[in-house]
């Protein structure tokens, strides 16, 4: 298994500002994944954070809006840039250890006013 | 069915009741079906990863079945307890990317003492 720490756990932000979410894993992993859940919607993959290369973004998500860093095999950050109320979501970091199942952090609940 | 669909959206039961809910998914090119439990303010936790048609898996009072030919899985909870209150998510891997999951919107279970 993997233990994943995320921070902040929650935040309230003003429109137009940016917020960086941090994710720390207790073991080295090749890929880390960033998901979000908007109210009433399903958990949706934003991007895959790859160590040593650019993040891979899913359809509908772009680097300018969600820049990602992956400085080493245990840490990643996701920034939500120029926030609007539509960005109010729970953002989750996750990893896969090869058996298929994902391990998740506790999430960062973001409210944009 | 193009994606993952779950029903019902929410469920309220009394302590001691047994309950079940459904996950439907595309039956073509099946690879695996995941079930997760997500309690409020905690990390989503993997319950089962199911791969074989006819599979039945059990974890305590929770069990799941899988029918890959017709594209559905059932999750059963026997003798529900208040601590079973959570959102239950199912997910299937994306084609060609087994560690990237497509989630349903979940079933929110509330167990009243």
């Amino acid at each position: 298994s993997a233990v994943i720490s995320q921070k902040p756990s929650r935040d309230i932000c003003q429109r137009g500002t940016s917020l960086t979410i941090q994710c720390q894993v207790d073991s080295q992993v090749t890929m880390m994944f960033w998901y979000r859940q908007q109210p009433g919607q399903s958990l949706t993959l934003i991007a895959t954070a790859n160590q040593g290369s650019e993040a891979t973004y899913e359809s509908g998500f772009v680097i300018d809006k969600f820049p990602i860093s992956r400085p080493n095999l245990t840490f990643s950050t996701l920034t939500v840039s120029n926030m609007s109320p539509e960005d109010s979501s729970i953002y989750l970091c996750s990893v896969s250890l090869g058996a298929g199942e994902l391990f998740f952090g506790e999430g960062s609940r973001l409210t944009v006013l | 069915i193009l994606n993952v669909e779950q029903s019902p959206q929410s469920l309220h039961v009394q302590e001691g009741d047994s309950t079940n809910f459904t996950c439907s998914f595309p039956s073509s090119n099946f690879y695996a079906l995941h079930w997760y439990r997500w309690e409020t303010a905690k990390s989503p936790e993997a319950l089962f990863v199911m791969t074989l048609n006819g599979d039945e898996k059990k974890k305590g009072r929770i069990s799941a079945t899988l029918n890959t030919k017709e594209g559905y899985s059932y999750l059963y909870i026997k003798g529900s307890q208040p601590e079973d209150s959570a959102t239950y998510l199912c997910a299937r891997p994306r084609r060609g990317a087994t560690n990237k999951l497509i989630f349903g919107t979940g079933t929110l279970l509330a167990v009243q003492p």
Side-chain angles (χ1 to χ4, degrees):
Chain A
S1 67
V3 177
I4 302 173
S5 304
Q6 259 186 258
K7 55 182 182 182
S9 57
R10 59 176 63 233
D11 209 339
I12 299 173
C13 301
Q14 295 298 319
R15 183 194 298 255
T17 62
S18 298
L19 177 75
T20 295
I21 302 166
Q22 298 180 8
C23 178
Q24 179 77 50
V25 189
D26 68 343
S27 57
Q28 295 185 337
V29 293
T30 307
M31 287 187 283
M32 295 172 75
F33 305 97
W34 287 99
Y35 283 82
R36 78 169 179 189
Q37 186 187 46
Q38 294 175 300
Q41 305 295 312
S42 57
L43 261 180
T44 301
L45 181 63
I46 297 170
T48 304
N50 306 301
Q51 202 275 326
S53 64
E54 294 281 325
T56 309
Y57 289 84
E58 299 301 309
S59 176
F61 299 96
V62 295
I63 188 170
D64 288 347
K65 176 68 177 175
F66 297 103
I68 285 172
S69 80
R70 184 79 198 274
N72 58 53
L73 289 173
T74 64
F75 186 80
S76 178
T77 68
L78 170 78
T79 298
V80 186
S81 302
N82 188 24
M83 288 184 283
S84 66
E86 292 71 37
D87 294 319
S88 298
S89 295
I90 301 174
Y91 292 85
L92 285 161
C93 170
S94 73
V95 303
S96 172
L97 297 183
E101 67 187 78
L102 293 182
F103 297 90
F104 288 90
E106 291 183 345
S108 300
R109 186 180 292 270
L110 174 61
T111 302
V112 184
L113 303 177
Chain B
I1 294 174
L2 295 178
N3 279 309
V4 179
E5 297 175 4
Q6 292 187 248
S7 64
Q9 191 173 4
S10 64
L11 202 49
H12 294 252
V13 302
Q14 293 293 126
E15 182 175 355
D17 287 350
S18 293
T19 187
N20 66 85
F21 20 94
T22 307
C23 174
S24 302
F25 51 87
S27 56
S28 60
N29 300 115
F30 176 82
Y31 184 81
L33 194 282
H34 296 231
W35 280 102
Y36 289 83
R37 175 170 62 197
W38 192 3
E39 294 179 63
T40 303
K42 294 189 177 179
S43 315
E45 171 200 0
L47 289 173
F48 306 113
V49 179
M50 308 182 79
T51 55
L52 297 175
N53 184 43
D55 231 359
E56 180 168 345
K57 295 203 171 182
K58 192 172 179 183
K59 196 177 202 176
R61 293 178 291 99
I62 304 177
S63 60
T65 61
L66 179 68
N67 183 324
T68 61
K69 295 186 179 187
E70 295 181 40
Y72 65 83
S73 175
Y74 293 137
L75 191 81
Y76 300 91
I77 302 178
K78 186 177 175 183
S80 302
Q81 300 296 308
E83 58 264 30
D84 295 328
S85 298
T87 297
Y88 290 83
L89 300 169
C90 69
R92 68 169 179 89
R94 238 190 37 203
R95 214 161 145 186
T98 57
N99 51 14
K100 297 183 181 182
L101 299 184
I102 298 172
F103 284 86
T105 51
T107 293
L108 174 61
L109 174 67
V111 182
Q112 310 224 314

Short mmCIF file of all heavy atoms in Angstrom, two decimals, chain A residues 53-94:
data_model
loop_
_atom_site.label_atom_id
_atom_site.label_comp_id
_atom_site.label_asym_id
_atom_site.label_seq_id
_atom_site.Cartn_x
_atom_site.Cartn_y
_atom_site.Cartn_z
N SER A 53 9.87 14.14 -16.91
CA SER A 53 9.30 14.59 -18.18
C SER A 53 8.05 15.40 -17.91
O SER A 53 7.58 15.48 -16.78
CB SER A 53 9.00 13.39 -19.09
OG SER A 53 8.01 12.58 -18.52
N GLU A 54 7.53 16.00 -18.97
CA GLU A 54 6.34 16.82 -18.83
C GLU A 54 5.14 15.98 -18.41
O GLU A 54 5.04 14.81 -18.77
CB GLU A 54 6.01 17.47 -20.19
CG GLU A 54 7.03 18.48 -20.68
CD GLU A 54 6.85 19.80 -19.97
OE1 GLU A 54 5.71 20.17 -19.66
OE2 GLU A 54 7.86 20.46 -19.70
N ALA A 55 4.23 16.60 -17.68
CA ALA A 55 2.99 15.93 -17.32
C ALA A 55 2.15 15.66 -18.57
O ALA A 55 2.27 16.38 -19.58
CB ALA A 55 2.20 16.80 -16.34
N THR A 56 1.36 14.63 -18.50
CA THR A 56 0.47 14.25 -19.61
C THR A 56 -0.95 14.64 -19.23
O THR A 56 -1.49 14.12 -18.25
CB THR A 56 0.53 12.73 -19.85
OG1 THR A 56 1.88 12.32 -19.98
CG2 THR A 56 -0.25 12.38 -21.11
N TYR A 57 -1.57 15.53 -20.01
CA TYR A 57 -2.89 16.07 -19.67
C TYR A 57 -3.99 15.33 -20.43
O TYR A 57 -3.82 14.95 -21.59
CB TYR A 57 -2.95 17.56 -19.97
CG TYR A 57 -2.13 18.37 -18.99
CD1 TYR A 57 -0.75 18.54 -19.19
CD2 TYR A 57 -2.71 18.92 -17.85
CE1 TYR A 57 0.02 19.23 -18.27
CE2 TYR A 57 -1.94 19.63 -16.94
CZ TYR A 57 -0.59 19.77 -17.14
OH TYR A 57 0.17 20.45 -16.23
N GLU A 58 -5.12 15.17 -19.76
CA GLU A 58 -6.28 14.55 -20.38
C GLU A 58 -7.04 15.59 -21.20
O GLU A 58 -6.84 16.80 -21.03
CB GLU A 58 -7.20 13.95 -19.31
CG GLU A 58 -6.52 12.87 -18.49
CD GLU A 58 -6.04 11.71 -19.32
OE1 GLU A 58 -6.87 11.18 -20.12
OE2 GLU A 58 -4.88 11.31 -19.20
N SER A 59 -7.91 15.08 -22.06
CA SER A 59 -8.69 15.95 -22.90
C SER A 59 -9.50 16.92 -22.05
O SER A 59 -10.15 16.52 -21.08
CB SER A 59 -9.64 15.10 -23.76
OG SER A 59 -10.48 15.91 -24.52
N GLY A 60 -9.42 18.20 -22.39
CA GLY A 60 -10.16 19.22 -21.65
C GLY A 60 -9.36 19.90 -20.56
O GLY A 60 -9.85 20.85 -19.94
N PHE A 61 -8.15 19.45 -20.33
CA PHE A 61 -7.28 20.05 -19.31
C PHE A 61 -5.98 20.50 -19.97
O PHE A 61 -5.43 19.77 -20.79
CB PHE A 61 -6.99 19.05 -18.19
CG PHE A 61 -8.21 18.60 -17.45
CD1 PHE A 61 -8.83 17.42 -17.80
CD2 PHE A 61 -8.74 19.37 -16.43
CE1 PHE A 61 -9.98 17.00 -17.13
CE2 PHE A 61 -9.87 18.95 -15.74
CZ PHE A 61 -10.50 17.77 -16.10
N VAL A 62 -5.51 21.70 -19.59
CA VAL A 62 -4.31 22.25 -20.23
C VAL A 62 -3.30 22.69 -19.19
O VAL A 62 -3.66 23.06 -18.06
CB VAL A 62 -4.66 23.42 -21.18
CG1 VAL A 62 -5.50 22.93 -22.34
CG2 VAL A 62 -5.37 24.54 -20.43
N ILE A 63 -2.04 22.72 -19.62
CA ILE A 63 -0.94 23.02 -18.72
C ILE A 63 -1.03 24.44 -18.16
O ILE A 63 -0.67 24.68 -17.01
CB ILE A 63 0.41 22.77 -19.42
CG1 ILE A 63 1.57 22.90 -18.44
CG2 ILE A 63 0.59 23.71 -20.60
CD1 ILE A 63 2.91 22.44 -19.01
N ASP A 64 -1.51 25.39 -18.95
CA ASP A 64 -1.58 26.77 -18.48
C ASP A 64 -2.54 26.91 -17.30
O ASP A 64 -2.33 27.75 -16.43
CB ASP A 64 -2.02 27.71 -19.61
CG ASP A 64 -0.95 27.88 -20.65
OD1 ASP A 64 0.21 27.50 -20.39
OD2 ASP A 64 -1.26 28.40 -21.75
N LYS A 65 -3.58 26.11 -17.29
CA LYS A 65 -4.58 26.17 -16.24
C LYS A 65 -4.17 25.31 -15.03
O LYS A 65 -4.41 25.68 -13.89
CB LYS A 65 -5.92 25.68 -16.79
CG LYS A 65 -7.04 25.61 -15.78
CD LYS A 65 -7.46 26.99 -15.30
CE LYS A 65 -8.65 26.87 -14.34
NZ LYS A 65 -9.00 28.20 -13.77
N PHE A 66 -3.56 24.17 -15.30
CA PHE A 66 -3.20 23.21 -14.24
C PHE A 66 -1.72 22.82 -14.35
O PHE A 66 -1.40 21.65 -14.59
CB PHE A 66 -4.07 21.95 -14.35
CG PHE A 66 -5.53 22.20 -14.14
CD1 PHE A 66 -6.40 22.24 -15.23
CD2 PHE A 66 -6.05 22.37 -12.87
CE1 PHE A 66 -7.76 22.45 -15.04
CE2 PHE A 66 -7.41 22.59 -12.67
CZ PHE A 66 -8.26 22.63 -13.75
N PRO A 67 -0.80 23.75 -14.14
CA PRO A 67 0.62 23.36 -14.20
C PRO A 67 0.95 22.36 -13.09
O PRO A 67 0.46 22.48 -11.97
CB PRO A 67 1.36 24.70 -14.03
CG PRO A 67 0.36 25.66 -13.51
CD PRO A 67 -0.99 25.19 -13.90
N ILE A 68 1.80 21.42 -13.43
CA ILE A 68 2.17 20.33 -12.52
C ILE A 68 3.68 20.27 -12.41
O ILE A 68 4.40 20.42 -13.41
CB ILE A 68 1.62 18.99 -13.05
CG1 ILE A 68 0.12 18.90 -12.82
CG2 ILE A 68 2.33 17.80 -12.41
CD1 ILE A 68 -0.54 17.71 -13.48
N SER A 69 4.16 20.05 -11.20
CA SER A 69 5.59 19.79 -11.02
C SER A 69 5.77 18.39 -10.47
O SER A 69 4.90 17.85 -9.79
CB SER A 69 6.21 20.82 -10.06
OG SER A 69 5.94 20.46 -8.71
N ARG A 70 6.92 17.79 -10.79
CA ARG A 70 7.25 16.45 -10.28
C ARG A 70 8.77 16.41 -10.10
O ARG A 70 9.49 15.79 -10.87
CB ARG A 70 6.78 15.38 -11.28
CG ARG A 70 6.99 13.98 -10.81
CD ARG A 70 5.95 13.53 -9.85
NE ARG A 70 6.38 12.37 -9.11
CZ ARG A 70 6.26 11.11 -9.52
NH1 ARG A 70 5.72 10.86 -10.69
NH2 ARG A 70 6.70 10.12 -8.77
N PRO A 71 9.25 17.04 -9.03
CA PRO A 71 10.70 17.16 -8.86
C PRO A 71 11.40 15.85 -8.50
O PRO A 71 12.61 15.73 -8.73
CB PRO A 71 10.83 18.18 -7.72
CG PRO A 71 9.55 18.08 -6.98
CD PRO A 71 8.50 17.74 -7.99
N ASN A 72 10.68 14.90 -7.92
CA ASN A 72 11.28 13.61 -7.56
C ASN A 72 10.22 12.53 -7.53
O ASN A 72 9.06 12.79 -7.87
CB ASN A 72 12.02 13.72 -6.22
CG ASN A 72 11.10 14.17 -5.09
OD1 ASN A 72 10.04 13.58 -4.87
ND2 ASN A 72 11.49 15.23 -4.39
N LEU A 73 10.62 11.33 -7.13
CA LEU A 73 9.71 10.18 -7.24
C LEU A 73 8.71 10.08 -6.09
O LEU A 73 7.91 9.15 -6.06
CB LEU A 73 10.54 8.88 -7.30
CG LEU A 73 11.30 8.66 -8.60
CD1 LEU A 73 12.22 7.46 -8.49
CD2 LEU A 73 10.36 8.48 -9.78
N THR A 74 8.74 11.02 -5.14
CA THR A 74 7.80 10.95 -4.03
C THR A 74 6.94 12.20 -3.87
O THR A 74 6.13 12.28 -2.95
CB THR A 74 8.56 10.74 -2.68
OG1 THR A 74 9.39 11.88 -2.43
CG2 THR A 74 9.40 9.47 -2.72
N PHE A 75 7.06 13.16 -4.76
CA PHE A 75 6.40 14.45 -4.55
C PHE A 75 5.90 15.03 -5.86
O PHE A 75 6.54 14.89 -6.91
CB PHE A 75 7.40 15.41 -3.90
CG PHE A 75 6.82 16.73 -3.49
CD1 PHE A 75 6.09 16.85 -2.31
CD2 PHE A 75 7.01 17.87 -4.27
CE1 PHE A 75 5.56 18.07 -1.92
CE2 PHE A 75 6.47 19.09 -3.89
CZ PHE A 75 5.75 19.19 -2.71
N SER A 76 4.74 15.70 -5.78
CA SER A 76 4.21 16.40 -6.93
C SER A 76 3.36 17.57 -6.45
O SER A 76 2.84 17.56 -5.31
CB SER A 76 3.34 15.47 -7.78
OG SER A 76 2.76 16.15 -8.89
N THR A 77 3.23 18.58 -7.28
CA THR A 77 2.30 19.67 -7.00
C THR A 77 1.40 19.89 -8.21
O THR A 77 1.81 19.67 -9.35
CB THR A 77 3.01 20.99 -6.67
OG1 THR A 77 3.67 21.47 -7.84
CG2 THR A 77 4.00 20.84 -5.54
N LEU A 78 0.19 20.32 -7.91
CA LEU A 78 -0.78 20.75 -8.93
C LEU A 78 -1.17 22.17 -8.59
O LEU A 78 -1.55 22.44 -7.44
CB LEU A 78 -2.01 19.85 -8.91
CG LEU A 78 -3.19 20.32 -9.77
CD1 LEU A 78 -2.95 20.00 -11.23
CD2 LEU A 78 -4.51 19.67 -9.30
N THR A 79 -1.07 23.07 -9.55
CA THR A 79 -1.52 24.44 -9.35
C THR A 79 -2.81 24.65 -10.13
O THR A 79 -2.91 24.25 -11.29
CB THR A 79 -0.44 25.45 -9.81
OG1 THR A 79 0.72 25.25 -9.02
CG2 THR A 79 -0.93 26.88 -9.65
N VAL A 80 -3.78 25.24 -9.49
CA VAL A 80 -5.02 25.65 -10.16
C VAL A 80 -4.89 27.16 -10.37
O VAL A 80 -4.86 27.93 -9.40
CB VAL A 80 -6.27 25.31 -9.34
CG1 VAL A 80 -7.54 25.62 -10.14
CG2 VAL A 80 -6.25 23.86 -8.89
N SER A 81 -4.76 27.56 -11.62
CA SER A 81 -4.42 28.94 -11.94
C SER A 81 -5.65 29.76 -12.28
O SER A 81 -6.64 29.24 -12.82
CB SER A 81 -3.48 28.98 -13.15
OG SER A 81 -2.31 28.24 -12.91
N ASN A 82 -5.56 31.06 -11.98
CA ASN A 82 -6.61 32.00 -12.37
C ASN A 82 -7.99 31.40 -12.09
O ASN A 82 -8.81 31.21 -12.99
CB ASN A 82 -6.46 32.36 -13.86
CG ASN A 82 -7.39 33.48 -14.28
OD1 ASN A 82 -7.83 34.29 -13.46
ND2 ASN A 82 -7.74 33.50 -15.56
N MET A 83 -8.23 31.11 -10.83
CA MET A 83 -9.41 30.32 -10.45
C MET A 83 -10.72 31.06 -10.68
O MET A 83 -10.82 32.29 -10.56
CB MET A 83 -9.30 29.91 -8.98
CG MET A 83 -8.24 28.84 -8.76
SD MET A 83 -8.20 28.30 -7.06
CE MET A 83 -7.30 29.67 -6.32
N SER A 84 -11.72 30.27 -11.01
CA SER A 84 -13.10 30.75 -11.13
C SER A 84 -13.97 29.82 -10.26
O SER A 84 -13.51 28.74 -9.87
CB SER A 84 -13.56 30.72 -12.58
OG SER A 84 -13.64 29.38 -13.03
N PRO A 85 -15.21 30.21 -9.99
CA PRO A 85 -16.08 29.35 -9.17
C PRO A 85 -16.22 27.92 -9.73
O PRO A 85 -16.42 26.98 -8.97
CB PRO A 85 -17.41 30.09 -9.17
CG PRO A 85 -17.01 31.52 -9.28
CD PRO A 85 -15.82 31.53 -10.21
N GLU A 86 -16.08 27.76 -11.06
CA GLU A 86 -16.19 26.44 -11.67
C GLU A 86 -15.06 25.51 -11.25
O GLU A 86 -15.13 24.29 -11.44
CB GLU A 86 -16.19 26.54 -13.20
CG GLU A 86 -17.42 27.21 -13.81
CD GLU A 86 -17.48 28.69 -13.55
OE1 GLU A 86 -16.41 29.37 -13.55
OE2 GLU A 86 -18.59 29.20 -13.30
N ASP A 87 -13.98 26.07 -10.70
CA ASP A 87 -12.86 25.25 -10.22
C ASP A 87 -13.09 24.71 -8.81
O ASP A 87 -12.27 23.94 -8.30
CB ASP A 87 -11.57 26.07 -10.24
CG ASP A 87 -11.14 26.45 -11.66
OD1 ASP A 87 -11.26 25.60 -12.56
OD2 ASP A 87 -10.72 27.61 -11.86
N SER A 88 -14.19 25.10 -8.19
CA SER A 88 -14.52 24.57 -6.86
C SER A 88 -14.72 23.06 -6.98
O SER A 88 -15.62 22.59 -7.70
CB SER A 88 -15.79 25.22 -6.33
OG SER A 88 -15.61 26.61 -6.16
N SER A 89 -13.88 22.31 -6.32
CA SER A 89 -13.85 20.85 -6.48
C SER A 89 -13.07 20.24 -5.32
O SER A 89 -12.42 20.96 -4.55
CB SER A 89 -13.10 20.45 -7.76
OG SER A 89 -13.74 20.88 -8.93
N ILE A 90 -13.09 18.92 -5.29
CA ILE A 90 -12.12 18.19 -4.48
C ILE A 90 -11.04 17.71 -5.44
O ILE A 90 -11.34 17.07 -6.46
CB ILE A 90 -12.77 16.99 -3.77
CG1 ILE A 90 -13.91 17.46 -2.87
CG2 ILE A 90 -11.71 16.23 -2.96
CD1 ILE A 90 -14.70 16.32 -2.24
N TYR A 91 -9.79 18.04 -5.12
CA TYR A 91 -8.66 17.61 -5.94
C TYR A 91 -7.94 16.49 -5.20
O TYR A 91 -7.61 16.61 -4.02
CB TYR A 91 -7.71 18.78 -6.21
CG TYR A 91 -8.34 19.82 -7.10
CD1 TYR A 91 -9.16 20.82 -6.58
CD2 TYR A 91 -8.14 19.79 -8.48
CE1 TYR A 91 -9.77 21.75 -7.40
CE2 TYR A 91 -8.75 20.71 -9.31
CZ TYR A 91 -9.56 21.69 -8.76
OH TYR A 91 -10.16 22.61 -9.59
N LEU A 92 -7.69 15.40 -5.91
CA LEU A 92 -7.11 14.21 -5.30
C LEU A 92 -5.85 13.80 -6.03
O LEU A 92 -5.80 13.74 -7.26
CB LEU A 92 -8.10 13.04 -5.38
CG LEU A 92 -9.29 13.06 -4.43
CD1 LEU A 92 -10.37 12.14 -4.94
CD2 LEU A 92 -8.86 12.62 -3.05
N CYS A 93 -4.85 13.46 -5.24
CA CYS A 93 -3.61 12.90 -5.77
C CYS A 93 -3.70 11.39 -5.60
O CYS A 93 -4.24 10.91 -4.59
CB CYS A 93 -2.46 13.48 -4.95
SG CYS A 93 -0.88 12.73 -5.23
N SER A 94 -3.19 10.63 -6.56
CA SER A 94 -3.22 9.18 -6.42
C SER A 94 -2.01 8.54 -7.07
O SER A 94 -1.35 9.15 -7.92
CB SER A 94 -4.50 8.60 -7.01
OG SER A 94 -4.46 8.64 -8.41
#
